[in-house]
Amino acid sequence: MGEKKASAQRSAKKTANYASPKKGVEKMKVSSLAKYKEKGMTIQSINPYTEKVIHEFLVMSPAEVSSWVAKSRAAFGAWKDVPVPERAKNFKRLAEVLRAEKRNYAGLITGEMGKPIKEALAEIEKCAWLSDYYAENAAKFLEPEPIKTENAKSYVAFEPLGVVLAIMPWNFPFWQAFRSGVPAIIAGNVVLLKHASNVSMTALAIEDAFRAAGFPESVFKTLLIDPKAAMKLIEEDKVDAVSLTGSNRAGEQIGALAGKKIKKVVLELGGSDPFIVLDDADIEKAGKTAANARMINAGQSCIAAKRFIVMDRLAEEFKKVFVSRLKELKLGDPLDESTDVGPVARRDILNNLNAQLKDAKAKGAEVVQLEPSSKKGLFFAPAVVYNPKPDMKVLTEEVFGPIAPVIIVKNEEEAIKAANATEYGLGASIWSRNIERAEKLAAKIEAGFVVINDMVKSDPRLPFGGVKKSGIGRELSHYGLKEFVNVKTVVVKE
């Protein structure tokens, strides 16, 4: 364990170098960096709290990318033949590395995308849990499945596909990459990560974590490339499957290209999750949880509660509890352990939130917005929009930040209609003291994940994914593990 910990610490020190603008720039010739800047071939990490550039990276050249793809292909040739129990040992070590260095990794997350440090720490812990879960269960999940037929033997085997391209977003920069990569790799695939450009330090730290855990070289590799280069990998048949978590526009583009090239794809896209409060709900608990569900990660989550559908009998009480809880949440320096809500990750997100709220006000909605508690950073003060009209952007678009539309309904039928009145179908939350009633309602909600009397949150043990324009395929549990395998039927005649 001493050597493993030392390895993790060496990796952490290397990762820390990425966070230092001075050290990062020293690795490049100034003239070379200027030349790349002129061509727009650099990637910047910008701290959303200080709004300062914390590091600048050179985009990998086509030759570098081709070299790493070839190395990944070679790594797959060996990795797929490693027995699953042996692969699992690497993931046990990976969980140890994450827990040993969680402060360092969490600090990178907070620095690059503004998540409060306590949320970033929880994200690293969840990645460690995920690694442990698959280390303990993958061998069972991947056992050949016997099927009785008239033949001497019939069974289904689960074999890896090859090189998986993971295109991941910035909002949960460790978790999204792990949620996609861990099941794929333990199934025998190798992964190339194209992460969001504003979390490149985090992306490199993830690669370092795999290296520190003793994974063979190029089983997991981060590519610092732009979206066009990622599309080119698919177009040129350099990868065998694609996992994307991102916007619907990205999903349409990647899905179309993957379909054209006949490649397996899993898409986890946008969400506009309804939070339904029935007239027999525990309103105190529902109202407080509603505020937490809207404000996690400053509202920048695909599974955050985004539309609050409340029966009229409890509407006023819900508003009171909801706003009261919002006022309790502390906005401020994300590195402060007492901070509940940090800045949004990028200025364009802030601009879009302002446009959505302006649209609601212009169209006559009743808007209550809290006073911002920080004059520094890309903060958006939480806002509640009462009785929004169907054509308002806060309902027609995905709201990726702390705006909470509250829709008042008279009965269950109106609640179901309002909940399903969206092109998305990722998650949903239903609140009622009558579980049987809530479960009947859950069956009518168009979503991939429904939670009763709690907020929606992913769990390694449960499949995660959406319907409609929220995506296709599933991640996590044994369902997610089998997304990137060849489900091979074998029949033996006597």
Short mmCIF file of all heavy atoms in Angstrom, two decimals, residues 330-356:
data_model
loop_
_atom_site.label_atom_id
_atom_site.label_comp_id
_atom_site.label_asym_id
_atom_site.label_seq_id
_atom_site.Cartn_x
_atom_site.Cartn_y
_atom_site.Cartn_z
N LYS A 330 -25.90 29.46 1.03
CA LYS A 330 -24.85 30.48 0.94
C LYS A 330 -24.17 30.44 -0.42
O LYS A 330 -23.62 29.41 -0.84
CB LYS A 330 -23.81 30.24 2.04
CG LYS A 330 -22.66 31.25 2.01
CD LYS A 330 -21.60 30.92 3.06
CE LYS A 330 -20.39 31.85 2.93
NZ LYS A 330 -19.32 31.49 3.90
N LEU A 331 -24.21 31.58 -1.12
CA LEU A 331 -23.47 31.74 -2.37
C LEU A 331 -22.13 32.39 -2.05
O LEU A 331 -22.07 33.31 -1.22
CB LEU A 331 -24.23 32.62 -3.35
CG LEU A 331 -25.37 32.00 -4.17
CD1 LEU A 331 -26.56 31.68 -3.30
CD2 LEU A 331 -25.76 32.92 -5.31
N GLY A 332 -21.08 31.92 -2.70
CA GLY A 332 -19.79 32.56 -2.44
C GLY A 332 -18.62 31.77 -2.97
O GLY A 332 -18.75 30.97 -3.90
N ASP A 333 -17.48 31.99 -2.36
CA ASP A 333 -16.22 31.37 -2.77
C ASP A 333 -16.38 29.84 -2.75
O ASP A 333 -16.61 29.25 -1.69
CB ASP A 333 -15.11 31.79 -1.80
CG ASP A 333 -13.75 31.22 -2.17
OD1 ASP A 333 -13.67 30.39 -3.10
OD2 ASP A 333 -12.76 31.62 -1.52
N PRO A 334 -16.25 29.18 -3.88
CA PRO A 334 -16.46 27.73 -3.90
C PRO A 334 -15.43 26.93 -3.13
O PRO A 334 -15.67 25.76 -2.80
CB PRO A 334 -16.43 27.39 -5.40
CG PRO A 334 -15.67 28.50 -6.03
CD PRO A 334 -15.97 29.72 -5.23
N LEU A 335 -14.29 27.54 -2.82
CA LEU A 335 -13.29 26.84 -2.02
C LEU A 335 -13.58 26.92 -0.52
O LEU A 335 -12.93 26.24 0.27
CB LEU A 335 -11.89 27.40 -2.31
CG LEU A 335 -11.26 26.95 -3.64
CD1 LEU A 335 -9.96 27.71 -3.89
CD2 LEU A 335 -11.02 25.45 -3.65
N ASP A 336 -14.55 27.73 -0.14
CA ASP A 336 -14.98 27.85 1.26
C ASP A 336 -15.90 26.66 1.57
O ASP A 336 -16.91 26.45 0.90
CB ASP A 336 -15.72 29.17 1.45
CG ASP A 336 -16.11 29.44 2.90
OD1 ASP A 336 -16.20 28.46 3.69
OD2 ASP A 336 -16.36 30.61 3.24
N GLU A 337 -15.56 25.90 2.59
CA GLU A 337 -16.33 24.70 2.94
C GLU A 337 -17.77 25.02 3.31
O GLU A 337 -18.64 24.15 3.27
CB GLU A 337 -15.66 23.97 4.12
CG GLU A 337 -14.27 23.44 3.82
CD GLU A 337 -14.27 21.97 3.39
OE1 GLU A 337 -15.35 21.37 3.35
OE2 GLU A 337 -13.18 21.46 3.11
N SER A 338 -18.06 26.25 3.70
CA SER A 338 -19.43 26.61 4.09
C SER A 338 -20.29 27.05 2.91
O SER A 338 -21.49 27.26 3.05
CB SER A 338 -19.40 27.72 5.14
OG SER A 338 -18.90 28.93 4.58
N THR A 339 -19.69 27.19 1.72
CA THR A 339 -20.44 27.62 0.54
C THR A 339 -21.33 26.50 0.02
O THR A 339 -20.90 25.36 -0.12
CB THR A 339 -19.47 28.09 -0.57
OG1 THR A 339 -18.78 29.25 -0.13
CG2 THR A 339 -20.21 28.40 -1.86
N ASP A 340 -22.57 26.86 -0.27
CA ASP A 340 -23.53 25.90 -0.82
C ASP A 340 -23.64 26.01 -2.34
O ASP A 340 -23.87 25.02 -3.03
CB ASP A 340 -24.93 26.13 -0.23
CG ASP A 340 -24.96 25.93 1.28
OD1 ASP A 340 -24.60 24.82 1.73
OD2 ASP A 340 -25.33 26.87 1.99
N VAL A 341 -23.51 27.22 -2.86
CA VAL A 341 -23.71 27.46 -4.29
C VAL A 341 -22.55 28.29 -4.82
O VAL A 341 -22.26 29.39 -4.31
CB VAL A 341 -25.04 28.19 -4.56
CG1 VAL A 341 -25.25 28.36 -6.06
CG2 VAL A 341 -26.21 27.42 -3.94
N GLY A 342 -21.90 27.79 -5.84
CA GLY A 342 -20.81 28.50 -6.47
C GLY A 342 -21.27 29.24 -7.72
O GLY A 342 -22.46 29.29 -8.03
N PRO A 343 -20.32 29.79 -8.47
CA PRO A 343 -20.67 30.47 -9.71
C PRO A 343 -21.05 29.46 -10.79
O PRO A 343 -20.77 28.27 -10.65
CB PRO A 343 -19.38 31.19 -10.08
CG PRO A 343 -18.30 30.32 -9.49
CD PRO A 343 -18.87 29.79 -8.20
N VAL A 344 -21.70 29.92 -11.85
CA VAL A 344 -21.89 29.06 -13.00
C VAL A 344 -20.54 28.94 -13.72
O VAL A 344 -19.62 29.72 -13.48
CB VAL A 344 -22.99 29.57 -13.94
CG1 VAL A 344 -24.33 29.55 -13.23
CG2 VAL A 344 -22.67 30.97 -14.48
N ALA A 345 -20.42 27.95 -14.58
CA ALA A 345 -19.09 27.58 -15.08
C ALA A 345 -18.54 28.51 -16.15
O ALA A 345 -17.32 28.67 -16.26
CB ALA A 345 -19.14 26.15 -15.62
N ARG A 346 -19.44 29.12 -16.94
CA ARG A 346 -18.95 29.94 -18.05
C ARG A 346 -19.84 31.17 -18.23
O ARG A 346 -21.02 31.15 -17.88
CB ARG A 346 -18.95 29.13 -19.36
CG ARG A 346 -18.10 27.89 -19.37
CD ARG A 346 -17.93 27.38 -20.82
NE ARG A 346 -19.19 27.30 -21.52
CZ ARG A 346 -19.84 26.16 -21.79
NH1 ARG A 346 -19.34 25.01 -21.39
NH2 ARG A 346 -20.98 26.17 -22.45
N ARG A 347 -19.28 32.20 -18.84
CA ARG A 347 -20.04 33.44 -19.04
C ARG A 347 -21.22 33.23 -20.00
O ARG A 347 -22.28 33.85 -19.82
CB ARG A 347 -19.13 34.55 -19.57
CG ARG A 347 -19.85 35.89 -19.74
CD ARG A 347 -18.90 37.05 -19.78
NE ARG A 347 -18.26 37.29 -18.50
CZ ARG A 347 -18.82 37.91 -17.47
NH1 ARG A 347 -20.08 38.34 -17.56
NH2 ARG A 347 -18.16 38.12 -16.36
N ASP A 348 -21.08 32.38 -21.01
CA ASP A 348 -22.20 32.18 -21.93
C ASP A 348 -23.40 31.55 -21.22
O ASP A 348 -24.55 31.81 -21.57
CB ASP A 348 -21.78 31.33 -23.13
CG ASP A 348 -21.31 29.94 -22.73
OD1 ASP A 348 -20.37 29.83 -21.93
OD2 ASP A 348 -21.90 28.95 -23.22
N ILE A 349 -23.13 30.72 -20.20
CA ILE A 349 -24.22 30.14 -19.40
C ILE A 349 -24.93 31.24 -18.62
O ILE A 349 -26.17 31.29 -18.56
CB ILE A 349 -23.67 29.06 -18.46
CG1 ILE A 349 -23.07 27.90 -19.26
CG2 ILE A 349 -24.76 28.54 -17.52
CD1 ILE A 349 -22.27 26.93 -18.43
N LEU A 350 -24.15 32.13 -18.01
CA LEU A 350 -24.72 33.25 -17.27
C LEU A 350 -25.57 34.12 -18.19
O LEU A 350 -26.69 34.51 -17.82
CB LEU A 350 -23.58 34.07 -16.65
CG LEU A 350 -23.98 35.27 -15.79
CD1 LEU A 350 -24.77 34.82 -14.57
CD2 LEU A 350 -22.74 36.05 -15.36
N ASN A 351 -25.07 34.41 -19.38
CA ASN A 351 -25.81 35.24 -20.33
C ASN A 351 -27.12 34.57 -20.73
O ASN A 351 -28.16 35.24 -20.87
CB ASN A 351 -24.96 35.50 -21.57
CG ASN A 351 -23.75 36.38 -21.27
OD1 ASN A 351 -23.72 37.08 -20.26
ND2 ASN A 351 -22.76 36.35 -22.15
N ASN A 352 -27.09 33.27 -20.91
CA ASN A 352 -28.29 32.55 -21.32
C ASN A 352 -29.35 32.55 -20.21
O ASN A 352 -30.55 32.71 -20.47
CB ASN A 352 -27.95 31.11 -21.71
CG ASN A 352 -29.06 30.45 -22.49
OD1 ASN A 352 -29.59 31.02 -23.45
ND2 ASN A 352 -29.44 29.25 -22.10
N LEU A 353 -28.90 32.40 -18.97
CA LEU A 353 -29.82 32.45 -17.83
C LEU A 353 -30.49 33.82 -17.73
O LEU A 353 -31.70 33.93 -17.50
CB LEU A 353 -29.08 32.13 -16.53
CG LEU A 353 -28.64 30.68 -16.35
CD1 LEU A 353 -27.67 30.57 -15.18
CD2 LEU A 353 -29.84 29.77 -16.12
N ASN A 354 -29.71 34.87 -17.92
CA ASN A 354 -30.27 36.22 -17.89
C ASN A 354 -31.30 36.41 -19.00
O ASN A 354 -32.35 37.03 -18.79
CB ASN A 354 -29.16 37.26 -18.02
CG ASN A 354 -28.37 37.44 -16.73
OD1 ASN A 354 -28.95 37.44 -15.65
ND2 ASN A 354 -27.06 37.60 -16.84
N ALA A 355 -31.03 35.84 -20.17
CA ALA A 355 -31.97 35.95 -21.29
C ALA A 355 -33.26 35.18 -21.00
O ALA A 355 -34.36 35.66 -21.32
CB ALA A 355 -31.31 35.42 -22.57
N GLN A 356 -33.14 34.02 -20.38
CA GLN A 356 -34.33 33.22 -20.06
C GLN A 356 -35.20 33.93 -19.02
O GLN A 356 -36.43 33.94 -19.13
CB GLN A 356 -33.91 31.84 -19.57
CG GLN A 356 -33.35 30.95 -20.68
CD GLN A 356 -32.71 29.68 -20.16
OE1 GLN A 356 -32.15 29.65 -19.05
NE2 GLN A 356 -32.77 28.61 -20.95
#
